[in-house]
């Protein structure tokens, strides 16, 4: 009963919330491994700075994003992921969210790897990269670039999203020469660049993540159980019967997608704030269903 309840509640979470659960679970399991076995598992999954070390475990370019250096590192990343995910999923579906997030992870990790093998002051440093920050930053900057004039409430006042994006990018730029965690800051900037370019290209009608999205579909299909199909039968039906069938469901789905496309087109031309409350509610509901 308890397992069924957990599965039920997990299935009702949106994709950002599911990522938060996975990150928290990894953090707890890694902590238990260190406490009970005396050894952390992070060394197998963190992104090393050396190219040859990376070639020995190429999965690290993705898995580093599921590990964190401490509670507060995890807390702030997941808090940001929760709020940016809510805004993002009001506009787009779960697939595009995962595309932006993991492309941000990949680009951020690549910037880290290249930087520590190019810049003279970083070459001799012994470090590795962990944390979801690059993916979270990609999602944040994406929404800041896609709906820059949309206002969000921060404590006691409203501020436009593009101000928020500029603030976070400047913080990372300023802390590279005067603060620590240079590798993390560079990864943030890599994720930010991906998020910005993706959003601006999408507004111009060019989906630069389409190929990666198809790759995610292919990977997902490998883990989906194949449905057993009944033997095929030839059925003859008269045309124009007017009965509801599978095609009606397809028409409903197409109509819903056309409405979503029309709303997104309105956002690209006039901004998110131009939507009516009914349109915002429709986008939110569509995002939850996906």
């Amino acid at each position: 009963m308890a397992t069924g309840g957990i599965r039920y509640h997990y299935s009702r979470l949106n994709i950002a919330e599911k990522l938060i659960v996975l990150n928290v679970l990894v953090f707890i399991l890694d902590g238990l491994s260190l406490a009970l076995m005396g050894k952390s598992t992070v060394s197998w999954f963190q992104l090393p700075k050396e190219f040859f070390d990376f070639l020995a475990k190429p999965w690290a370019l993705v898995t580093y994003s599921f590990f964190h250096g401490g509670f507060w590192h995890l807390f702030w990343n997941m808090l940001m992921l929760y709020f940016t995910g809510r805004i993002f999923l009001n506009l787009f579906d779960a697939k595009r969210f995962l595309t932006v997030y993991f492309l941000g992870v990949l680009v951020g990790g690549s910037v880290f790897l290249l930087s520590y093998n190019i810049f003279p002051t970083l070459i001799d440093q012994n470090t590795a990269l962990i944390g979801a920050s690059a993916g979270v930053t990609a999602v944040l900057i994406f929404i800041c670039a896609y709906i820059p004039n949309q206002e969000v409430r921060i404590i006691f006042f409203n501020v436009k999203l593009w101000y928020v994006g500029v603030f976070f990018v400047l913080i990372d730029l300023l802390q590279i020469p005067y603060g620590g965690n240079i590798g993390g800051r560079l990864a943030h900037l890599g994720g930010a660049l991906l998020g910005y370019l993706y959003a601006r290209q999408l507004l111009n009608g060019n989906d630069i993540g389409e190929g990666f999205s198809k790759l995610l579909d292919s990977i997902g299909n490998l883990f989906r159980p194949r449905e057993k199909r009944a033997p095929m039968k030839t059925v003859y039906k008269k045309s124009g019967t007017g009965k509801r069938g599978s095609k009606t469901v397809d028409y409903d789905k197409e109509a819903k997608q056309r409405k979503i496309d029309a709303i997104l087109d309105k956002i690209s031309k006039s901004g998110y704030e131009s939507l009516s409350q009914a349109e915002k509610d429709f986008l939110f509901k569509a995002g939850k269903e996906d």
Side-chain angles (χ1 to χ4, degrees), residues 25-286:
L25 184 61
V26 168
F27 182 78
I28 292 173
L29 292 176
D30 186 57
L32 288 174
S33 175
L34 181 61
L36 301 178
M37 307 297 292
K39 186 176 182 180
S40 172
T41 58
V42 68
S43 60
W44 290 93
F45 303 103
Q46 65 187 8
L47 182 62
K49 52 154 283 192
E50 299 290 346
F51 272 118
F52 288 110
D53 292 339
F54 163 67
L55 292 176
K57 49 177 184 179
W59 59 82
L61 194 57
V62 174
T63 57
Y64 82 86
S65 65
F66 290 97
F67 289 80
H68 291 81
F71 173 79
W72 291 111
H73 187 202
L74 173 74
F75 176 81
W76 291 115
N77 272 341
M78 296 303 101
L79 185 67
M80 185 67 71
L81 181 59
Y82 175 75
F83 285 109
T84 56
R86 288 184 63 183
I87 299 174
F88 190 104
L89 293 170
N90 276 336
L91 302 172
F92 300 103
D93 60 14
K95 186 191 298 185
R96 179 155 287 158
F97 178 88
L98 286 176
T99 299
V100 174
Y101 180 85
F102 280 111
L103 278 177
V105 168
L106 291 172
V107 172
S110 299
V111 169
F112 165 84
L113 195 59
L114 289 171
S115 298
Y116 276 82
N117 287 273
I118 292 177
F119 297 118
T121 58
L122 302 179
I123 290 177
D124 294 329
Q125 293 189 21
N126 184 23
T127 186
L129 181 65
I130 56 174
S133 305
V136 174
T137 304
V139 175
L140 170 65
I141 300 303
F142 178 95
I143 59 175
C144 291
Y146 195 83
I147 46 173
N149 294 318
Q150 170 65 24
E151 293 186 348
V152 293
R153 187 77 172 175
I154 298 181
I155 308 177
F156 301 116
F157 54 90
N158 293 340
V159 61
K160 292 184 177 181
L161 275 173
W162 77 270
Y163 291 142
V164 177
V166 168
F167 172 79
F168 278 97
V169 170
L170 285 178
I171 288 294
D172 284 323
L173 286 172
L174 291 174
Q175 291 201 32
I176 288 177
Y178 302 110
N181 189 26
I182 296 177
R185 302 297 174 186
L186 291 170
H188 295 178
L189 293 173
L193 178 63
L194 180 279
Y196 177 81
L197 291 177
Y198 198 135
R200 300 312 298 179
Q201 286 297 308
L202 195 60
L203 286 170
N204 292 329
N206 181 27
D207 184 358
I208 63 174
E210 183 178 2
F212 185 78
S213 180
K214 291 179 179 178
L215 176 62
L216 289 180
D217 282 340
S218 300
I219 294 173
N221 289 334
L222 295 176
F223 297 95
R224 292 195 184 102
R226 292 184 178 180
E227 296 180 358
K228 294 182 179 180
R229 297 182 178 179
M232 294 182 64
K233 295 181 180 180
T234 303
V235 179
Y236 298 95
K237 292 184 178 180
K238 294 181 179 180
S239 60
T241 58
K243 293 182 179 179
R244 292 182 61 85
S246 59
K247 288 187 177 298
T248 305
V249 177
D250 291 339
Y251 293 149
D252 290 342
K253 187 175 180 180
E254 291 176 4
K256 177 183 174 183
Q257 187 59 50
R258 284 197 295 269
K259 186 173 181 180
I260 292 174
D261 292 341
I263 294 175
L264 293 179
D265 186 57
K266 184 177 179 180
I267 292 173
S268 67
K269 293 178 179 178
S270 307
Y272 183 77
E273 63 274 13
S274 67
L275 299 184
S276 67
Q277 188 58 47
E279 290 171 326
K280 293 178 181 178
D281 291 341
F282 177 83
L283 273 182
F284 179 78
K285 183 178 179 181

